[in-house]
């Protein structure tokens, strides 16, 4: 097999055999292939050196490296058997045997073909369909993370710009937005480093790609932790009558950014000493992977419990109001609150917490394709559709519009006087109360 064909085979196998984010890094596969090549050439060199010392060299087929497997020297009439190359075993997880006949004219062709013998048929239509599916999935989550990144940056800028929106609840929202932004950025960086098709970078030090994976895992865990913080804060507002929001915010910040650092650092140290293989993007040792996966699953389960309990509290409060209002209206409010809480709490992650391997493709679709739009949904629901934010933006627009009015020659005094009186009425009445009122709107 020629090197160009081998390179295309590696790319196709890497994309078709393993799901996105779980297949071996192409550089890791190439490192194994190059190591096998060096070992084979050393063995063949020793054989040729031994043959030079003989008066009559042994007739037959000389040892051969065919860019995939190492074939030892053989006499005419022999059939040589070798196992599947290690790099194919990394991609397929299966082993097999390949054969060559040594004839008087030299080596025969390999049989069966390497892709068939080692468990993969690159001409199989199902592989092509899966390859196309994974490429579409990558496009979907790239679009999802890109749109989420843009909307989250705009939403974060709005919440930071308006001082009247600065309160504990919105501070927590801002931290959550930052965690979604970091998750999107880390995903783009990870894809650029791990899934580059350029083999020229494979000889570069692996410390950089390991640091990228550590940063990626930290952003993932931090995002789940801030989803948990949102649930804890909302639950505290509904259950606890009086508590210090400032101290509460400090504790939430320590929990949201500090605890992921502890878990990811523990994972990195454990990985360095017990499974320092490749770029740390393949989690072959399940016990080490649980150092990160365990806290994530716990946060998902805790958020789901908080979600159920918050719905129970809301239902209890709405039932007490049924005698004073329309019951249908209250249940509409409950349904609206439920739909708003699902993306905020990440309840959809509960569907695949303990999913079997058979549901991997469906899980990838929900977690990558749909999950990549979660930041977009959160930004829209809790910033752009938020009544407080819309009110502050309208006020800012009116103030800017009033500054432009004196430059207009028509109806200057009446327009300006009317606008000023309305503005004075809205701001002069009680600025401190308005600032507090802005952040004390309905919790849900």
């Amino acid at each position: 097999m020629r090197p160009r064909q081998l390179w295309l085979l590696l790319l196709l196998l890497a994309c078709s055999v393993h799901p996105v984010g779980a297949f071996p890094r192409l550089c890791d596969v190439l490192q194994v292939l190059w190591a096998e090549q060096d070992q084979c050439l050393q063995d063949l060199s020793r054989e040729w050196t031994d043959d030079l010392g003989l008066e009559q060299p042994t007739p037959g087929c000389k040892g051969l490296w065919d860019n995939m497997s190492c074939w030892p020297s053989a006499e005419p009439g022999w059939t040589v058997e070798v196992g599947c190359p290690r790099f194919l075993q990394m991609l397929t997880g299966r082993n097999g045997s390949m054969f060559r006949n040594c004839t008087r004219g030299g080596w025969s062709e390999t049989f069966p073909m390497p892709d068939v013998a080692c468990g993969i048929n690159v001409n199989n239509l199902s592989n092509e369909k899966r390859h196309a599916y994974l490429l579409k999935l990558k496009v979907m989550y790239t679009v999802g993370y890109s749109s989420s990144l843009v909307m989250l940056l705009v939403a974060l800028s709005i919440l930071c710009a308006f001082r009247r929106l600065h309160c504990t609840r919105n501070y927590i929202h801002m931290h959550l937005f930052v965690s979604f932004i970091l998750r999107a950025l880390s995903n783009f960086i990870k894809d650029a480093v791990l899934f580059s098709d350029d083999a020229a970078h494979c000889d570069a030090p692996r410390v950089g790609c390991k640091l990228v994976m550590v940063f990626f895992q930290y952003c993932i865990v931090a995002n789940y932790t801030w989803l948990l913080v949102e649930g804890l804060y909302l639950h505290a507002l509904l259950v606890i009558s009086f508590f210090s929001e400032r101290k509460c915010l400090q504790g939430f910040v320590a929990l949201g950014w500090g605890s992921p650092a502890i878990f990811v650092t523990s994972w990195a140290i454990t990985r360095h000493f017990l499974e320092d293989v490749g770029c740390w993007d393949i989690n072959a040792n399940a016990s080490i992977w649980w150092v990160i996966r365990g806290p994530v699953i716990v946060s998902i389960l805790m958020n789901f419990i908080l979600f159920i309990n918050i719905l129970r509290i809301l239902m209890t409060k709405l039932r007490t109001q049924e005698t004073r209002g329309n019951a249908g209206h209250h249940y509409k409010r409950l349904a609206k609150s439920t739909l708003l809480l699902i993306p905020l709490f990440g309840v959809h992650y509960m569907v695949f917490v303990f999913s079997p391997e058979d549901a991997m493709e469906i899980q990838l679709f929900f977690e990558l394709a749909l999950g990549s739009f979660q930041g977009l949904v959160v930004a829209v629901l809790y910033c752009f559709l938020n009544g407080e934010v819309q009110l502050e933006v309208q006020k800012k627009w009116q103030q800017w519009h009033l500054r432009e009015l004196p430059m207009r020659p028509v109806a200057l005094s009446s327009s300006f006087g009317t606008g000023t009186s309305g503005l004075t009425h809205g701001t002069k009445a009680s600025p401190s109360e308005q600032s507090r009122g802005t952040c004390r709107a309905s919790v849900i």
Side-chain angles (χ1 to χ4, degrees):
M1 180 175 289
R2 294 190 297 272
R4 177 63 179 173
Q5 293 175 330
L6 176 61
W7 179 256
L8 293 176
L9 174 64
L10 285 175
L11 287 177
L12 180 57
L13 289 178
C15 294
S16 62
V17 177
H18 295 267
V20 174
F23 53 83
R25 183 171 172 251
L26 190 57
C27 287
D28 295 333
V29 178
L30 290 175
Q31 292 286 354
V32 172
L33 176 62
W34 293 336
E36 288 189 334
Q37 179 183 2
D38 293 340
Q39 183 64 41
C40 178
L41 294 179
Q42 291 177 10
D43 295 341
L44 295 180
S45 178
R46 283 194 295 267
E47 288 186 6
W48 296 336
T49 303
D50 295 340
D51 288 342
L52 291 176
L54 300 176
E55 296 181 358
Q56 294 182 350
T58 304
C61 303
K62 292 185 177 181
L64 174 68
W65 168 256
D66 64 354
N67 292 322
M68 291 185 63
S69 301
C70 189
W71 300 90
S73 301
E75 298 181 5
W78 286 14
T79 298
V80 180
E81 176 185 0
V82 298
C84 286
R86 283 178 55 203
F87 78 93
L88 285 183
Q89 295 182 36
M90 290 177 62
L91 294 168
T92 64
R94 296 174 58 182
N95 197 2
S97 297
M98 299 179 294
F99 302 89
R100 276 181 185 263
N101 292 326
C102 179
T103 65
R104 294 188 180 275
W107 289 106
S108 68
E109 293 294 330
T110 305
F111 62 93
M113 294 296 292
D115 49 353
V116 177
C118 301
I120 285 296
N121 184 359
V122 294
N123 296 319
N124 193 347
L125 186 60
S126 61
N127 287 331
E128 295 182 2
K129 291 182 178 179
R130 182 161 185 171
H131 185 202
Y133 169 76
L134 294 177
L135 289 179
K136 292 178 181 178
L137 190 65
K138 188 175 187 299
V139 171
M140 288 184 65
Y141 78 71
T142 301
V143 172
Y145 279 124
S146 300
S147 56
S148 296
L149 182 61
V150 173
M151 299 299 282
L152 286 165
L153 287 173
V154 176
L156 183 63
S157 301
I158 292 175
L159 292 182
C160 292
F162 294 97
R163 296 185 60 184
R164 292 187 179 181
L165 296 176
H166 292 183
C167 60
T168 302
R169 176 166 55 84
N170 285 337
Y171 283 142
I172 294 176
H173 286 343
M174 285 189 277
H175 282 283
L176 179 64
F177 292 172
V178 172
S179 71
F180 274 114
I181 292 172
L182 291 177
R183 181 170 182 171
L185 290 175
S186 65
N187 188 81
F188 293 142
I189 297 173
K190 183 239 338 172
D191 283 357
V193 172
L194 296 185
F195 305 138
S196 174
D197 297 341
D198 189 0
H201 301 290
C202 293
D203 293 329
R206 298 190 180 185
V207 177
C209 70
K210 291 177 182 178
L211 291 177
V212 168
M213 287 305 302
V214 171
F215 175 68
F216 173 74
Q217 299 293 355
Y218 174 78
C219 294
I220 295 295
V221 179
N223 184 236
Y224 282 106
T225 307
W226 276 104
L227 289 173
L228 175 62
V229 168
E230 289 278 2
L232 291 173
Y233 177 71
L234 183 55
H235 188 267
L237 287 179
L238 295 175
V239 175
I240 303 175
S241 300
F242 301 99
F243 64 95
S244 175
E245 293 197 359
R246 177 173 297 181
K247 294 182 179 179
C248 179
L249 179 61
Q250 294 175 353
F252 285 151
V253 171
L255 174 64
W257 299 117
S259 59
I262 296 175
F263 294 124
V264 174
T265 302
S266 303
W267 171 78
I269 295 174
T270 308
R271 188 72 191 256
H272 176 72
F273 288 103
L274 300 181
E275 195 186 2
D276 191 11
V277 179
C279 199
W280 295 1
D281 54 319
I282 305 172
N283 302 289
N285 192 331
S287 58
I288 297 178
W289 177 232
W290 272 97
V291 176
I292 287 181
R293 190 184 181 193
V296 170
I297 291 180
V298 169
S299 66
I300 293 174
L301 293 175
M302 289 181 62
N303 241 8
F304 184 73
I305 295 173
L306 293 174
F307 173 76
I308 297 299
N309 195 41
I310 288 173
L311 291 184
R312 181 188 62 81
I313 295 173
L314 292 177
M315 289 182 65
T316 302
K317 290 186 176 183
L318 291 177
R319 285 174 181 172
T320 59
Q321 299 176 3
E322 288 182 3
T323 56
R324 294 178 293 173
N326 186 6
H329 173 69
H330 295 316
Y331 285 109
K332 286 182 180 179
R333 287 183 56 193
L334 178 62
K336 178 182 177 182
S337 302
T338 304
L339 294 176
L340 288 175
L341 290 176
I342 287 177
L344 185 65
F345 280 41
V347 178
H348 55 284
Y349 290 120
M350 273 295 299
V351 180
F352 295 102
V353 169
F354 302 104
S355 62
E357 293 293 331
D358 298 339
M360 182 61 67
E361 291 190 359
I362 302 176
Q363 180 181 358
L364 285 174
F365 178 77
F366 273 89
E367 291 190 357
L368 291 179
L370 296 184
S372 62
F373 289 93
Q374 184 182 4
L376 171 65
V377 174
V378 170
V380 170
L381 292 180
Y382 293 93
C383 181
F384 300 111
L385 296 183
N386 187 290
E388 306 165 5
V389 175
Q390 293 178 352
L391 180 61
E392 291 300 317
V393 171
Q394 290 176 1
K395 288 181 179 179
K396 197 67 176 178
W397 170 259
Q398 291 176 358
Q399 292 177 6
W400 176 82
H401 187 63
L402 289 175
R403 293 193 189 100
E404 296 295 324
L405 283 179
M407 301 178 63
R408 299 181 182 180
V410 181
L412 176 62
S413 59
S414 60
S415 299
F416 185 75
T418 305
T420 305
S421 63
L423 180 63
T424 305
H425 177 74
T427 58
K428 194 174 180 180
S430 179
S432 59
E433 290 180 3
Q434 280 192 353
S435 178
R436 290 194 299 266
T438 301
C439 285
R440 286 185 179 180
S442 60
V443 175
I444 300 176

